[in-house]
Amino acid sequence: MRPPRKYAGIRTTVLRRDAVVATVPVALAALLAAAGPAGAATAGASGVGDPYFPQAGNGGYHVGHYDLNLRYDPTSHRLDGRAVLTVRATQKLTRFNLDLSGLKVTALTVDRVNAGFRRSGQELTVTPRRALNKDQTFKVAVSYTGVPKAVTDPDGSKDGWITTDDGAFVAGEPQGSMSWFPGNNHPKDKASYDFTITVPRGHTAVANGVLLGQRTAAGKTTFRWRQSEPMASYLATATVGKFKVEQYTTRSGIKVYNAVDPREAAAAAPVLKKLPSVLDWEAKLFGPYPFRAAGSIVDRAPQVGFALETQSRPVYDRAPDLSTLVHENAHQWFGDSVALTTWKDIWLNEGFATYAEWLYAEQHGGPSAQKTFDRLYATAKNNELWSFPPADPGSGANIFGRPVYDRGAMALHKLRKTVGDQAFFKTLRTWATQHRNGHGTTAQFTALAERISGKDLDNLFRTWIGTKGKPTAP
């Protein structure tokens, strides 16, 4: 995700933010911990314990797969959905929670048997007819309807299902997925996805992964998408609009699907043409591209104010510039394939994607990364850049603040200068490879950098990501 416009800083065009059951993610241990000691309780926790978003996610289970069947009318803004979740209990459960904001639940079953449910805020509490045993796999089917409303984040911005003049811009970081489907709404719990989306003829519905097919009948077109690799719920999309579509396969075998609002097509074309070369460049630095599919969704949604690295296919609120394209696609490695474990660690997403911009500029005729670092370091001590440490933003209101992006990138540049290019780039590639389709933490990254470089880096990381205020020396 690109930073909000209020953090535009040195940029003139800035966008905010940027089918089998999947393998249980590395961070599942944290979900188990959130559920409490084995046998101590039979109700799943109503959150996974994230300090910034305490009600996000749920304990007591892991979702392996989501099968989402949606019908959307852009005129009435009505969404009718049926979500079937394939779930494994991680403790004995007499009840458990899903995250769902707004929307009316019309039916709910557990293994095809009607189950009790109640609503309280974003929590949908489910009581199955019979208790579920630890390690039992079961299916939860939720039918729901209504007009989805975007979620307001702690910084005052909106995410989730956002209405446009011809459909919807769907981007869920950090909380918005619960505005359009029920789930375990925290990056700790990654899953594979199938999407079946029906919209009026003439509209296109774009989701993650590979397009399996589309069919038009009775004035409606149904699109089927599959995201096989594990994905955090906030990275899911079902963006709807009147799009110009381009499809091709790269020389490396990646299926590309670009959907562009015709009003943005002329401005977007020169940048999107560079996507294959950008992916090739990033793969050389970070390791093989982690997904089967790639592409772009370029909408016209000026009220949104951000772009997001929706997995395999970033969504942009307008035609992106080249640095934005580089940023959002770098997230496919850093943030999507390797997911954060807590929102406090978001610099591992945003600092890395921002530094990818610096590297791309350095290697393609732009300013060197050192020059960009020096320009930022010259910023006054009272500038917002130094207002909090990147690895501890303090609250959900700050996770898209400038320190997370720019100072996070500065920390990576300091690491590079300290350990040398060989160790630095080996660290980035090893990080993306070892944690592929999983999760990572700041502590794990710092330990990896120390192991590969053979250097004690405690003071470097403490100064550049762990302490607020401007460091005394660059």
Side-chain angles (χ1 to χ4, degrees):
M1 178 176 289
R2 297 303 298 273
R5 293 192 182 94
K6 66 181 179 179
Y7 298 124
I10 62 173
R11 298 187 180 93
T12 57
T13 302
V14 181
L15 310 180
R16 178 181 181 260
R17 316 186 179 173
D18 317 23
V20 292
V21 175
T23 303
V24 176
V26 173
L28 182 55
L31 292 174
L32 291 167
T42 57
S46 61
V48 298
D50 191 295
Y52 294 174
F53 299 95
Q55 292 303 303
N58 302 282
Y61 65 88
H62 161 60
V63 182
H65 184 71
Y66 291 85
D67 190 343
L68 304 179
N69 195 315
L70 309 172
R71 297 177 68 90
Y72 184 63
D73 182 351
T75 301
S76 67
H77 310 305
R78 180 185 180 90
L79 177 69
D80 294 300
R82 186 173 189 268
V84 179
L85 287 59
T86 302
V87 185
R88 182 174 70 83
T90 57
Q91 65 175 71
K92 185 174 182 179
L93 289 173
T94 55
R95 69 176 184 269
F96 58 91
N97 284 24
L98 299 171
D99 296 307
L100 182 65
S101 175
L103 302 173
K104 179 182 179 181
V105 175
T106 57
L108 195 153
T109 63
V110 175
D111 282 341
R112 299 185 179 182
V113 177
N114 288 336
F117 62 89
R118 59 182 174 82
R119 306 290 301 276
S120 178
Q122 72 184 57
E123 301 296 330
L124 170 60
T125 302
V126 180
T127 304
R129 188 75 58 88
R130 294 184 177 85
L132 303 163
N133 295 320
K134 182 180 179 182
D135 294 324
Q136 179 179 342
T137 297
F138 58 97
K139 289 184 182 290
V140 182
V142 184
S143 297
Y144 54 97
T145 188
V147 176
K149 303 292 185 184
V151 175
T152 300
D153 297 323
D155 64 0
S157 61
K158 294 184 183 297
D159 71 287
W161 195 280
I162 303 172
T163 301
T164 63
D165 63 0
D166 62 357
F169 181 100
V170 183
E173 189 178 30
Q175 305 179 88
S177 66
M178 65 183 176
S179 70
W180 60 284
F181 69 92
N184 200 1
N185 188 23
H186 192 277
K188 284 181 180 177
D189 202 37
K190 298 172 75 173
S192 57
Y193 282 73
D194 277 302
F195 304 85
T196 303
I197 311 169
T198 300
V199 293
R201 183 175 183 174
H203 286 73
T204 300
V206 192
N208 311 84
V210 175
L211 177 66
L212 300 182
Q214 65 185 72
R215 180 177 60 88
T216 299
K220 304 286 185 182
T221 303
T222 298
F223 296 82
R224 294 187 301 114
W225 295 88
R226 174 168 295 165
Q227 173 60 60
S228 300
E229 298 90 354
M231 177 170 70
S233 59
Y234 80 87
L235 296 170
T237 189
T239 293
V240 176
K242 293 183 177 180
F243 295 121
K244 179 181 178 181
V245 173
E246 175 189 32
Q247 300 183 67
Y248 60 90
T249 302
T250 68
R251 288 181 296 178
S252 56
I254 301 169
K255 293 182 179 296
V256 174
Y257 186 103
N258 291 327
V260 182
D261 187 300
R263 296 168 291 183
E264 298 292 325
V271 176
L272 298 189
K273 186 177 181 179
K274 294 181 179 293
L275 177 61
S277 64
V278 167
L279 294 178
D280 286 345
W281 175 81
E282 290 178 333
K284 288 177 183 177
L285 289 186
F286 310 141
Y289 181 72
F291 307 119
R292 294 178 178 88
S296 309
I297 306 168
V298 181
D299 210 338
R300 173 169 280 193
Q303 79 279 19
V304 171
F306 64 82
L308 180 66
E309 63 273 15
T310 44
Q311 188 159 307
S312 76
R313 189 163 295 108
V315 58
Y316 306 94
D317 72 337
R318 65 191 67 186
D321 59 20
L322 183 56
S323 64
T324 303
L325 188 85
V326 170
H327 182 107
E328 301 304 341
N329 283 284
H331 274 309
Q332 304 307 309
W333 285 264
F334 305 114
D336 292 13
S337 178
V338 184
L340 51 79
T341 304
T342 172
W343 287 106
K344 182 178 179 180
D345 282 329
I346 193 171
W347 86 279
L348 292 171
N349 297 9
E350 301 301 349
F352 284 51
T354 301
Y355 196 61
E357 295 180 60
W358 296 15
L359 292 172
Y360 189 88
E362 179 177 78
Q363 296 181 23
H364 292 81
S368 67
Q370 184 64 52
K371 185 173 182 179
T372 303
F373 178 96
D374 291 342
R375 179 175 48 177
L376 288 168
Y377 185 76
T379 303
K381 290 182 179 181
N382 62 352
N383 189 275
E384 62 190 351
L385 176 62
W386 317 111
S387 58
F388 58 81
D392 188 9
S395 74
N398 292 333
I399 60 174
F400 303 117
R402 190 177 178 195
V404 171
Y405 292 74
D406 287 341
R407 190 170 169 185
M410 294 177 80
L412 291 173
H413 188 69
K414 285 294 297 183
L415 175 64
R416 178 186 173 190
K417 300 299 288 185
T418 300
V419 305
D421 277 10
Q422 183 176 355
F424 175 75
F425 288 109
K426 183 179 179 180
T427 299
L428 292 189
R429 190 180 182 97
T430 302
W431 176 254
T433 301
Q434 288 187 350
H435 294 268
R436 185 182 177 112
N437 292 330
H439 299 78
T441 66
T442 296
Q444 290 172 330
F445 179 74
T446 57
L448 176 67
E450 289 188 324
R451 178 173 64 80
I452 289 177
S453 68
K455 294 179 179 289
D456 182 348
L457 301 170
D458 283 354
N459 186 60
L460 184 154
F461 284 112
R462 184 183 311 110
T463 300
W464 286 95
I465 66 169
T467 306
K468 77 173 184 176
K470 184 177 181 177
T472 56

